[in-house]
Amino acid sequence: MPTGDLNDMVARMAAVLPSAWFPAGAAVLRDALLTAAASCGTLVHDLVQFAGAQLRVATASGGWLDLIAYDFFGRALPRRGLGDDSYRLAIRRRLLRQGGTRAGLAAELLVATGRDPAIIEPWRPADCGAWGGGVIAIGYGAAGAWGSLLPCQAFVTIPRGGAAAADLLATVADMAPAGAGVWTVIRN
């Protein structure tokens, strides 16, 4: 007899009633009255168990999972026909992703397209080199990008892969730090 089922509730209530209240032959009447009350108790128990499960991403289901996603992300993460397990995974992935960084943007675009994007930050010597910069020094006649001291700018070349251009641009806009300019090109 599992906790909270009808028989469990009847047994719990019968255990606390004084035996003098019901003579030996009245157990049937007692059990009928207790069963009526216990049916409400089992309904409440099941409702509390269900509500408790809907409070966590790991156990929520159906529309409750949609409400959790809406609470965290607004309209930025629609279900788009995903089942509960796939949507739950998307919510977790989005909650734990590394946003606002070059590595985070590269990781998201890799997941979306299956191919690495090319990211160039003009002020970063590792991307554009530096005169007399030792190991990363590049200059005229060498492969690389021209840099500048313009901060908070990046140039991103995204291989299209199988993703729609609108989704890729939304990913870039969502992952970019506030106030940064991310110039984007999508190539086939």
Side-chain angles (χ1 to χ4, degrees):
M1 144 169 71
T3 301
D5 76 347
L6 188 62
N7 294 330
D8 177 52
M9 292 285 186
V10 170
R12 285 171 186 260
M13 286 191 274
V16 296
L17 286 177
S19 57
W21 285 9
F22 296 95
V28 175
L29 176 63
R30 176 198 72 189
D31 288 348
L33 292 172
L34 292 180
T35 300
S39 64
C40 293
T42 58
L43 177 67
V44 169
H45 180 269
D46 291 345
L47 186 59
V48 167
Q49 296 298 316
F50 176 79
Q54 304 315 310
L55 297 176
R56 304 282 183 257
V57 174
T59 55
S61 61
W64 298 101
L65 198 56
D66 293 315
L67 286 174
I68 289 172
Y70 185 77
D71 268 352
F72 281 112
F73 312 116
R75 298 183 192 278
L77 188 64
R79 187 180 278 257
R80 292 187 180 162
L82 295 175
D84 282 350
D85 291 334
S86 299
Y87 196 43
R88 183 175 297 112
L89 182 63
I91 291 170
R92 283 184 178 165
R93 195 169 151 271
R94 179 126 181 191
L95 275 173
L96 301 175
R97 75 180 180 183
Q98 182 183 7
T101 64
R102 177 187 178 119
L105 176 61
E108 287 296 313
L109 291 174
L110 176 63
V111 168
T113 64
R115 295 167 39 201
D116 284 321
I119 301 175
I120 297 172
E121 297 175 74
W123 60 270
R124 187 171 182 253
D127 289 344
C128 300
W131 293 108
V135 176
I136 58 171
I138 58 176
Y140 291 120
W146 282 93
S148 80
L149 295 178
L150 187 63
C152 302
Q153 300 288 315
F155 299 95
V156 180
T157 303
I158 306 170
R160 184 180 299 272
D167 290 339
L168 294 175
L169 293 174
T171 299
V172 170
D174 192 38
M175 294 296 294
V182 181
W183 306 88
T184 307
V185 173
I186 300 173
R187 300 207 189 259
N188 287 331

